[in-house]
Amino acid sequence: MNKPIRVVSVFCLVLFLALLVNASYLMYVRADSLSDDPRNRRIITATFSRERGAILVGKEAIARSVPSDDKYKFQRTYSQPYKYAPITGYFSWYGQTGVESSQNSVLAGDDSRLFVTRLVDMLSNSDPKGGNVQLATNAAAQDAAWDGLEGLPGDAQGAVVALEPTTGRVLAMASTPTFDPNKLASHDFGAVADLSKELNADPREPLINRAIGTTLPPGSTFKLVTAAAAIESGNYDADSQVPGGYRFKLPQSSTTVGNYDGGNCGGRRITLTQALQVSCNVTFMSLANELGVDAMAEQAEAFGFNDTSLEDLGGQAESLYPRDLDPPQTALSGIGQSSVTATPLQMAMVAAAIANDGDVMRPYVVDEVRAANLSVLDRTDPQSISKAISSTTAEELTTMMVATVDSGTATPAQIPGVQVAGKTGTAQSTADRPPYAWFVSFAPADNPQVAVAVLVQSSDTSRSEIGGGRLGGPIAKAVMEAVINQ
Amino acid sequence: MSQTGTLMGFVHRRRRGAELFLLVLALMVGIGAYAAVGLGVEGVVPADLVGYGGWLTALIVAAHITVRIVAPYADPVLLPLVAALNGLGLAVIRRLDLTYEANGLAQHTFARQQLTWMTLGVILFIATLVLLRDHRVLQRFTYTAGLLGILLLILPFLPLVGREINGARIWINVAGFSFQPGEVAKVLLVIAFAGYLVLHRDALALAGRRVVFIDLPRGRDLGPILAMFGVSMMILVLQNDLGSSLLFFGLFLAMLYVATERPGWLVVGGLLFGAGALAAYTFVGNVQNRFNFWLHPMDHYDDTPGSYQLVEALFGQGWGGLIGRGFGNGFPERVPFAYSDFIISTIGEELGLSAIMAVILCYGLIVERALRIALISRDGFGKLLAVGLGAIVALQVFVVVGGVTGLIPLTGLTTPFLSYGGSSLVANWVIVALLLRVSDQARRPAPRLDPVDDAGEDSESTQVVKLR
């Protein structure tokens, strides 16, 4: 009977080997994908129970974990919840958004850059602590942006983005209406679920970070892109004579489109500078028509359209300049209408590129990653994405934008003693909806420190009062001042 | 066969000292794990560590002394392996108890009950070794054991005593105590199979005809295999217990193969079981579900019935990784029945892959020891008994651990010695006692048949040779 016993032995060996191999496969190879499963509550409970790192602006921790009495040990708190919610996002039992999500591995202490800290924690048998995230945000600029949006009449929907042109640093990013991440971080999960349902159902979309998550027609602010394309084509400069007048007849169509105020832009032939100053629709429609869809699209893409560039914040919508526009649509795209859509961040990138000699810098909100003891582990290096326009084109556009602030539509952004470059926009949406007010600018014009884009999607302003300059100008001005005066 | 020991001039050593040394290591595992549970979950060494450790030590030492006295030649590795597994299981169950208690669950004294069951198990272990001095005595009870085994399997169907728990009708309830008679039935059935097969092995082995390359058994000899097949299917369909069904049939097939040395039986049995499983898959919803949950566990997480339990177990084990989270730092209580069927996932989560491997290796060694006992055993009955008992452990471990780690469809079986469960623990301690008994017989030096000194005055009378 010994031979079959040996066969049975070999068979048992095979069974046990299969168990060993499968256990190794499960607990080593599959472990990561199991941990990434959103239904894996263990990971969340563990992160929830751990001392999560802080999110810092300057020296202030705008998000940190404080000891709590319940079984989760730590409670996430946000010191300035509404103001910073679009950047920090929230950290709830059900999930994370914003920097809480994109930097989760650092904050939770799982990141490989924290390896040494983790090893020390393990050896000293102390609970693991998460790393800290230092934001690029400038507190004063963020205050100005938030106060500006809060100061809008009624239940305004809007967003502000401020960039440092030479680096791409996001100095400010505010969006309204917004939400209180403290309430979503609560350990009362039932209340959190209810609130989250409520926020998701809210027609005012408080959970959306409008600065990067909402794309709308950029309106006249897009004329900067049209002007850039025109100058880059080599046929135009700031003093070139361009068509003005009352109306532009769209190609292949009998429709004509007039200027915003119904005027004639100051004559049948005006300079390009004048055209930008008064935001002449006729001029930019005819320029776009002349340049054609390809040249326009290339210029828009050089500024960052049809792409997402903000890597350390989720939820970025792609700003669009479709390449399949027909001639009438192309003409309309010259004034930021038709199917052209942009986020406030994208328009801030356009302004920042003009301010930065034509270099488009990759925007970023996370400046540094630090260990719990504040030693710097990683720093974001400014990175150029593309050369959108030549330096001379940038210079000419700057001069034109300065003229627009000095004596054009953008006068509300004037700052005494500082040269400001700006452009307004008032974008039509549908007939029954008020237009969107835009404003982009940078300052000081000769040594740019800050570029801003402001979008007011809706507010309680009467329709006739809406204008990019009137609504957005003062907010942009306040943000620029906050940065310059430091 | 019976003279192997002396013919080769090889005498097995008793190795009781080695057993004692290994038992000390095993106790360190059990008591150390219990202390670690207290430290990890509550932050302090448990107050009852001395009492608990003393009790555990007393049980193990009592078992060891019994072996020393009544089975001095028994295998020295089996008892330490079992002691380590039982100790680890107790600690892990205690760890879950603490969390159940913290979460306000009514049932949170599983560890204490398990210790009581272990005490009973050790008492039965001692009783078995003391009362059963020669395993061949069991051969007399072939049909009694078989009948009793079948009866125990049927018991859960009887009204009054039978209970259905979690969809499987495998429990009986007598005077407030729940018991799984199937756990005891499997030991009785091994005895019955071994007795039957030793008697009928020639008929089963020699008669038959050759088809292509395989010797197929005669039709009339298919009787026992068909009967066992029927019992297995009955368990599967009526009791909704895929695991036990697989266990009984696999066990019978292994013993049949060893007894007859004919692979043809494996083919016939395999085909039969395949057909039965296919039929069960087609007609029994539960089996179909289990199969689906196994193939696509992630898709049925939220269904009822669904794969929640399995997926949570997989999550836990994945999270445990190579070295685990440490006692108290995981969430094994998220897995329903973590203290019984799913104790392996708790070990995986908090002690990691390294501990899972250690546990699997311990089981592997138990099986290896059982099969080694079968190899060196001098009588056919002992061989078959050892093979059967080893096969039970091997199949049960494979089915449970394979199910919990997602290798095969999940079935409800306990992990021997680790899982909470009185019937299983007691039955497994008896299995070890039987294995030690067979091994004592096998390793013991063969009786000396020296010529008797005829000078004595009663040289004329008949010499009585004592055979053991």
Side-chain angles (χ1 to χ4, degrees), chain A residues 1-2 4-5 7-9 12 15-16 19 22-24 26-28 31 34 37 39-43 45-46, chain B residues 257-258 261 298 301 312 314-319 321-322 331 334 348-349 352-353 357 371 380 383 402 405 407:
Chain A
M1 282 192 262
N2 283 358
I5 293 176
V7 173
V8 170
S9 308
C12 289
L15 288 187
F16 280 90
L19 286 182
N22 183 61
S24 312
L26 169 70
M27 298 172 74
Y28 187 69
L34 287 169
D37 196 298
R39 294 168 297 192
N40 193 340
R41 300 249 68 97
R42 278 179 176 79
I43 307 298
T45 311
Chain B
Y257 168 58
V258 171
E261 309 193 19
M298 298 301 167
Y301 181 76
E312 279 299 334
L314 294 179
F315 279 162
Q317 291 171 88
W319 199 50
L322 296 183
F331 304 97
R334 294 188 61 83
E349 180 167 357
L353 176 62
M357 287 194 151
L371 293 171
K383 274 182 189 294
T405 55
L407 180 63

Side-chain angles (χ1 to χ4, degrees), chain B residues 66-91:
Chain B
T66 312
V67 173
R68 253 182 202 277
I69 297 171
V70 300
Y73 284 93
D75 187 287
V77 187
L78 268 174
L79 189 60
L81 285 170
V82 166
L85 286 171
N86 203 340
L88 178 66
L90 273 165

Side-chain angles (χ1 to χ4, degrees), chain B residues 6-49:
Chain B
T6 38
L7 277 183
M8 294 172 68
F10 179 80
V11 178
H12 285 279
R13 289 162 62 196
R14 299 185 180 190
R15 309 301 312 246
R16 293 273 73 82
E19 182 182 76
L20 186 62
F21 172 69
L22 290 175
L23 279 173
V24 171
L25 293 186
L27 278 172
M28 278 162 67
V29 170
I31 300 172
Y34 190 79
V37 164
L39 274 176
V41 182
E42 296 180 308
V44 288
V45 175
D48 60 345
L49 184 67

Side-chain angles (χ1 to χ4, degrees), chain A residues 1-13, chain B residues 1 201 254-255 257-262 367-388:
Chain A
M1 282 192 262
N2 283 358
K3 185 177 161 278
I5 293 176
R6 291 204 173 88
V7 173
V8 170
S9 308
V10 172
F11 180 70
C12 289
L13 181 71
Chain B
M1 191 162 66
R201 53 184 294 226
M255 293 179 72
Y257 168 58
V258 171
T260 60
E261 309 193 19
R262 290 182 59 176
V367 175
E368 184 257 349
R369 284 282 142 178
L371 293 171
R372 172 178 299 234
I373 291 167
L375 276 179
I376 61 171
S377 181
R378 300 186 185 110
D379 65 301
F381 180 71
K383 274 182 189 294
L384 283 172
L385 198 58
V387 165

